[in-house]
Amino acid sequence: MGQCDAFISHSWSDPPGPKWAALSAWAEAFEEEHGRLPTVWLDKLCIDQRNVQEALACLPIFLAGCDRLLVLAGPTYSSRLWCVIELFTFLKMGAPLERITVLPFAEPSTRQRSRAVSDDVPAHATLADVAASFASFDAAQARCARPEDRQALLAVIEESFGSFGEFNEWARHVFDVRVDGVHESRVTTLEAGWREEERGSCGLQLV
């Protein structure tokens, strides 16, 4: 496995358009700074999510091969247990906070839904709502699709810390201090045309 620029941590339940805009804005800024396209690790393509024990054992290896953890933090991110586990694993590997970038996003006000599409994606979720979910983050409340996986994953965190309190405080601190504040103007620009762009390239290379 070659070195990747970023491991993408995200919730599949979050709205795809704003998520695409946030990722595209980050990729654009990366290319401007480094003169090349970023290479990223995407869980859907690289992790067997049907085998939690194997995926959990390999996760440190996948993260170690990436320069940073790129958190695409939408309305449901803090409630998804696999996202929590990715944060937890990065912490336990001893990675410094400087290697974490948090990109919060939500539906633009002009396209917010009149009702929730599902229980996971609330209607009218704003960036303020996303920030509030970070401030009240609680790993014990996070969910995943398979109940048996949930118990196994929560047990890993609890065994490591003794309780969820210390980890929750660390995660809230990460969300507070590692938000990339310069990407918002780029996201606003890209959101207007994301539907046309979603069929093209966002300036990424998948490994």
Side-chain angles (χ1 to χ4, degrees), residues 21-22 25-26 102-105 127 179-191:
W26 174 82
V102 179
L103 303 181
F105 65 87
L127 283 175
V179 170
D180 185 346
V182 301
H183 87 292
E184 293 184 5
S185 61
R186 292 177 182 269
V187 171
T188 301
T189 300
L190 288 168
E191 278 176 341

Side-chain angles (χ1 to χ4, degrees), residues 7-10 56 59 63 69-73 77-97 99-102 134 137-139 157 161 167-168 170-176 178:
F7 182 107
I8 299 176
S9 179
H10 69 112
L56 190 58
L59 188 56
L63 285 165
L69 182 68
L70 181 65
V71 176
L72 301 180
Y77 182 88
S78 63
S79 69
R80 306 308 298 174
L81 190 50
W82 267 111
C83 299
V84 172
I85 284 293
E86 288 163 358
L87 278 173
F88 164 79
T89 304
F90 209 63
L91 165 65
K92 296 305 290 183
M93 288 170 56
L97 286 181
R99 289 178 57 195
I100 301 176
T101 299
V102 179
F134 295 164
F137 173 82
D138 185 354
I157 298 176
F161 283 93
F167 175 69
N168 289 342
W170 177 85
R172 292 167 190 164
H173 179 65
V174 169
F175 292 140
D176 183 46
R178 294 306 302 163

Side-chain angles (χ1 to χ4, degrees), residues 14-48:
D14 280 331
K19 184 193 299 183
W20 179 265
L23 180 57
S24 297
W26 174 82
E28 182 182 278
F30 182 98
E31 186 175 11
E32 289 179 3
E33 181 178 352
H34 298 278
R36 62 176 178 83
L37 300 177
T39 303
V40 300
W41 185 273
L42 184 62
D43 58 352
K44 188 69 171 180
L45 303 178
C46 309
I47 294 177
D48 183 1

